[in-house]
Amino acid sequence: MKLRDLVRHLRQHGCELLREGGAHSIFVNRSTGKATAVPRHRDLNEFLARKICRDLQIREP
């Protein structure tokens, strides 16, 4: 999965960028209070994309 597609999916489901780290971006779901790190690689593994969505408690892509 492309990083831009995952970020678009996260934003459509109410998640927002909290801060930028060295190699990761931290996204937070304000409605659930959950946060997770998203690596800044161009391509992400499908399993990692599903784990990020599960961590933020949103629908998987």
Side-chain angles (χ1 to χ4, degrees), residues 18-38:
L18 180 64
R19 66 181 173 87
E20 296 282 339
H24 293 80
S25 302
I26 308 299
F27 277 84
V28 64
N29 186 348
R30 300 265 184 212
S31 63
T32 61
K34 301 291 183 176
T36 192
V38 178

Side-chain angles (χ1 to χ4, degrees), residues 1-18:
M1 170 176 254
K2 298 288 185 188
L3 176 63
R4 67 176 180 263
D5 295 334
L6 178 62
V7 170
R8 184 179 308 126
H9 177 77
L10 296 178
R11 290 178 192 242
Q12 287 174 346
H13 288 88
C15 299
E16 55 190 45
L17 179 66
L18 180 64

Side-chain angles (χ1 to χ4, degrees), residues 16-61:
E16 55 190 45
L17 179 66
L18 180 64
R19 66 181 173 87
E20 296 282 339
H24 293 80
S25 302
I26 308 299
F27 277 84
V28 64
N29 186 348
R30 300 265 184 212
S31 63
T32 61
K34 301 291 183 176
T36 192
V38 178
R40 276 192 247 137
H41 299 288
R42 189 170 298 211
D43 291 314
L44 297 175
N45 189 335
E46 293 292 327
F47 296 109
L48 179 60
R50 288 199 307 250
K51 183 205 177 293
I52 290 169
C53 292
R54 273 187 259 127
D55 287 348
L56 293 170
Q57 296 180 345
I58 62 171
R59 185 180 65 81
E60 295 177 6

